[in-house]
Amino acid sequence: MSPDATPDPYANPMAFGQRMQILRQRRGMTREVLAGLLGMSEAWVKDLERGRTQAPGLETVYRIAEALRVRDLADLTGRPDMHVDLFTGPGHPRLAAVRAAVDSFGLTTTQRAPSPEHIAARLARAWKARHSAPNHREVIGALLPDLIRDAQLAVKQAEAPAEWRAAQAVLAEVYSLSQFFLAYQPDASLLWRVAERSMVAAQQSDDPHTIGVSAWLLAQAHRDSGPSHYDAADAVNLEALAYLEPILPDATDDVLAITGALTFEAGYTAARRGDTADAWRYWDTAQLMAARLPETYYHPVTSFSQAIMGAHAVTVAVELHSGRESVRQAARADADTIPSRPRRARHRIEQARGYQLDGQPDVAIATLAQAYEAAPETIRYNGYARAIILEETESRVAGRRRRASELAARVGLLAA
């Protein structure tokens, strides 16, 4: 290796701080940004990287891993016995079938495609099933292969321009549904193919709502790829908002809702950056947009609604690493008003992150147990939930360690 090359944390045993510095630099992240995400000083980060202070405790290690979007905890700690895949869940049994459908274009098939209207009706049922099922990945994973193939064929076989645009809108939405299945699955390249295809199909459809949904998911894909993608997330998000803004005065509820969802997503990314003022400013704007929707309205894809804004406030506080504010917002948010089981489970996970930040691990574990009851597959594939559970399985408090271990066994992290 050249003396100027970046040392490889996979090949050479190193001090924790050196390994952290390498992973930070590979993300293109400055010490100042990392310090802000951790709620620490830049001097603290520098001292840790230079080995002037001892390696932090397990809770802080998890926070560093979260900030650096480390996939495997062993990459940060240098300890193979701490192999924890933080942000990628186990491969779902239906992943191979979904991948095969995405990768096949039906170039030689003689099968006739269903009409776009027929596929749209099936899609509507699939979204409802996703929101109501505790094993939502299993449910939509069973439906997706046929939906993907039929939607691709509908585009290929469309004869009139209006039919072609309608087929593109349906295909974009099928790909959007696919992204919910592929989140946290061990195939990042497949997720990116689907996200980008959804955006292309949406643009071809020329339908504002479809474009907004695809942009919403593409922005999330960028944001969840780490700090080096935050600018790309903002670019997609803000361009979609600029596109939708002129039609808002006469917009349908669905278009207004996707605009509100995109507005909140801009705040979500700002919170990830540690920008408190922008994060809450976007949340305030999104709340005003939610207030314009009927009280019982619930967006079928994003869950945007009046009922979701409390959960969104918890997410902003958690991403800003404010434990006290997270707990305050969690107390105000009513999870029972969220009709979607997976979205309700995700909200419980965000609440648990807030309790963990606030030094209330027992409440965090109890809240994760509620998330499991709402939708087991959500917690099983969520890296934040798994990190909290595994951390507390090593607690020195016997009762907490037992409860965390029991939950870990239910989730599938430990042998029962």
Side-chain angles (χ1 to χ4, degrees):
M1 182 177 70
S2 163
D4 296 326
T6 302
D8 187 348
Y10 302 94
N12 300 298
M14 312 177 67
F16 176 88
Q18 291 175 292
R19 186 172 289 102
M20 184 179 82
Q21 181 178 7
I22 290 169
L23 294 169
R24 173 180 62 77
Q25 290 172 337
R26 286 184 175 180
R27 280 286 182 196
M29 187 186 296
T30 66
R31 286 192 181 116
E32 180 183 10
V33 169
L34 178 58
L37 291 172
L38 297 173
M40 308 295 281
S41 68
E42 186 176 353
W44 180 87
V45 173
K46 183 176 181 180
D47 286 345
L48 186 57
E49 290 183 346
R50 296 290 177 84
R52 296 173 185 160
T53 185
Q54 290 185 337
L58 189 57
E59 180 179 353
T60 304
V61 169
Y62 277 122
R63 289 175 58 200
I64 294 170
E66 175 185 327
L68 295 175
R69 304 299 289 171
V70 172
R71 294 287 177 181
D72 188 337
L73 200 60
D75 297 344
L76 181 60
T77 64
R79 291 176 52 185
D81 59 315
M82 292 187 72
H83 175 77
V84 180
D85 204 359
L86 290 176
F87 295 99
T88 302
H92 194 278
R94 295 193 181 275
L95 176 60
V98 173
R99 182 191 297 116
V102 171
D103 290 342
S104 175
F105 292 98
L107 297 177
T108 59
T109 185
T110 58
Q111 176 185 341
R112 286 300 302 171
S115 69
E117 293 77 14
H118 182 272
I119 302 172
R122 288 160 56 193
L123 257 176
R125 290 194 295 271
W127 283 116
K128 289 181 179 178
R130 179 191 178 269
H131 289 303
S132 62
N135 58 333
H136 50 95
R137 270 191 175 82
E138 174 64 23
V139 169
I140 64 174
L143 299 173
L144 276 171
D146 286 342
L147 280 169
I148 293 168
R149 294 188 186 99
D150 286 349
Q152 289 174 339
L153 280 178
V155 170
K156 178 185 174 187
Q157 296 175 7
E159 297 177 353
E163 182 186 5
W164 183 79
R165 287 193 296 272
Q168 291 284 11
V170 166
L171 179 60
E173 190 174 339
V174 169
Y175 282 141
S176 293
L177 180 63
S178 301
Q179 288 178 73
F180 281 88
F181 175 85
L182 293 171
Y184 300 113
Q185 293 294 299
D187 195 337
S189 64
L190 182 61
L191 176 65
W192 276 110
R193 288 204 301 282
V194 166
E196 290 170 351
R197 287 185 192 176
S198 178
M199 192 70 238
V200 171
Q203 289 175 297
Q204 299 285 2
S205 78
D206 202 27
D207 178 72
H209 177 255
T210 303
I211 291 170
V213 170
S214 295
W216 181 77
L217 283 160
L218 183 58
Q220 289 188 24
H222 278 296
R223 185 188 63 236
D224 290 345
S225 296
S228 63
H229 283 248
Y230 289 171
D231 286 348
D234 280 337
V236 171
N237 212 330
L238 297 179
E239 186 172 6
L241 285 171
Y243 164 76
L244 292 169
E245 185 177 6
I247 65 175
L248 289 183
D250 300 314
T252 63
D253 287 343
D254 282 349
V255 171
L256 180 61
I258 192 57
T259 306
L262 283 160
T263 302
F264 168 71
E265 286 302 315
Y268 195 153
T269 304
R272 278 274 175 93
R273 292 180 187 273
D275 188 339
T276 301
D278 272 354
W280 287 113
R281 177 174 62 83
Y282 279 119
W283 182 89
D284 286 338
T285 304
Q287 185 182 41
L288 291 174
M289 300 184 80
R292 293 171 56 185
L293 295 167
E295 188 175 352
T296 58
Y297 175 88
Y298 202 80
H299 190 262
V301 179
T302 68
S303 296
F304 190 80
S305 58
Q306 294 184 30
I308 207 67
M309 292 311 300
H312 281 341
V314 175
T315 295
V316 169
V318 168
E319 292 294 342
L320 289 169
H321 300 283
S322 175
R324 181 173 298 178
E325 181 63 17
S326 300
V327 170
R328 189 177 78 86
Q329 294 293 346
R332 298 175 59 186
D334 184 359
D336 292 334
T337 64
I338 302 174
S340 168
R341 292 184 71 144
R343 187 60 185 84
R344 189 159 67 245
R346 183 186 155 201
H347 171 53
R348 292 295 192 193
I349 292 169
E350 297 292 274
Q351 286 181 313
R353 292 176 66 196
Y355 289 125
Q356 193 77 353
L357 283 170
D358 197 48
Q360 301 185 52
D362 289 310
V363 183
I365 290 297
T367 306
L368 289 175
Q370 291 178 311
Y372 182 85
E373 293 302 322
E377 284 195 340
T378 294
I379 189 170
R380 185 170 293 130
Y381 291 92
N382 187 282
Y384 298 116
R386 292 159 61 199
I388 293 171
I389 294 168
L390 287 171
E391 177 179 346
E392 297 309 329
T393 61
E394 299 183 358
S395 172
R396 294 181 180 179
V397 180
R400 184 186 309 151
R401 184 172 64 248
R402 174 181 56 77
R403 288 188 294 274
S405 297
E406 289 172 352
L407 184 56
R410 294 171 70 191
V411 170
L413 295 175
L414 300 175

